[in-house]
Amino acid sequence: MSVFIVDDDPMQAEMTKDTLAKFRNFSILTFGTGEEALKAIRTSGVNPDIVVLDYYLNSKDVDAANGLAVLRKLMELPNDPFVIMVSGQDRIEVAVNCIKYGAFDYVIKNESVFVRLEQVMKKILKERKLVQETKLYKLMFRLAIIGFFGLIVFILYLWLGLGLDILGSKNLGEVR
């Protein structure tokens, strides 16, 4: 799975990367701005499965788009990623807006940010597994339906096409 970390604070990005690296063998890339991450998606064709996205991204570049604008762009991708918004904003309206525009979860940057990130990652992995299992069950159901109708067609072919009396229909009128 590919994970993008988009944070303008290099120390925060590195600690986030360390937190996620001990989780699984993710392919993790870090970016200082949302524009860099979006450019990487366009040029490399790599669609991240998960994006950890900071809400404010303008400490390096004052004109950088904020996390909400980047989130909206990410949700336009054909395979939109799970986005975890991370912010020092402890205001409910900020969290609600992020969820409204497609974020999977909202994590406040405080002393428990990395514990919360791990919890959210577990939730994402569980949901992703459920989605994959659902797709598998749907495929198996479709194959079972196709097999059932294939069997019916084969029986009809034997019965009508070849004139075989596989159901014993010729003997129905006979009395022993």
Side-chain angles (χ1 to χ4, degrees), residues 58-115:
N58 61 356
S59 71
K60 281 187 194 175
D61 180 1
V62 214
D63 297 326
N66 71 10
L68 201 53
V70 176
L71 172 64
R72 288 179 176 174
K73 294 279 187 196
L74 290 169
M75 292 299 109
E76 292 172 3
L77 294 174
N79 298 322
D80 56 316
F82 289 97
V83 178
I84 306 168
M85 291 297 291
V86 181
S87 176
Q89 292 289 316
D90 195 1
R91 297 187 359 237
I92 190 71
E93 59 271 8
V94 173
V96 168
N97 261 345
C98 292
I99 301 299
K100 175 181 161 184
Y101 289 109
F104 181 78
D105 209 332
Y106 184 86
V107 177
I108 298 169
K109 283 185 186 178
N110 58 20
E111 62 278 349
S112 64
V113 64
F114 300 112
V115 173

Side-chain angles (χ1 to χ4, degrees), residues 96-152:
V96 168
N97 261 345
C98 292
I99 301 299
K100 175 181 161 184
Y101 289 109
F104 181 78
D105 209 332
Y106 184 86
V107 177
I108 298 169
K109 283 185 186 178
N110 58 20
E111 62 278 349
S112 64
V113 64
F114 300 112
V115 173
R116 281 281 298 131
L117 272 175
E118 285 186 27
Q119 292 169 342
V120 174
M121 290 299 291
K122 287 178 185 175
K123 217 164 74 171
I124 287 173
L125 294 173
K126 187 182 282 187
E127 181 158 323
R128 191 175 150 94
K129 182 180 177 188
L130 287 173
V131 167
Q132 289 173 340
E133 287 175 354
T134 301
K135 286 180 183 177
L136 178 64
Y137 291 141
K138 285 181 180 179
L139 175 65
M140 289 171 48
F141 179 73
R142 287 182 185 133
L143 290 174
I145 294 295
I146 290 169
F148 174 75
F149 282 112
L151 181 62
I152 296 296

Side-chain angles (χ1 to χ4, degrees), residues 18-33:
D18 290 344
T19 299
L20 300 183
K22 63 183 171 182
F23 220 98
R24 274 189 160 197
N25 291 329
F26 292 130
S27 166
I28 302 173
L29 297 173
T30 59
F31 303 92
T33 67

Side-chain angles (χ1 to χ4, degrees), residues 2-36:
S2 64
V3 178
F4 282 14
I5 299 170
V6 184
D7 199 319
D8 58 343
D9 179 354
M11 181 68 80
Q12 182 74 26
E14 192 59 35
M15 290 189 300
T16 301
K17 185 176 180 178
D18 290 344
T19 299
L20 300 183
K22 63 183 171 182
F23 220 98
R24 274 189 160 197
N25 291 329
F26 292 130
S27 166
I28 302 173
L29 297 173
T30 59
F31 303 92
T33 67
E35 288 85 355
E36 290 174 9

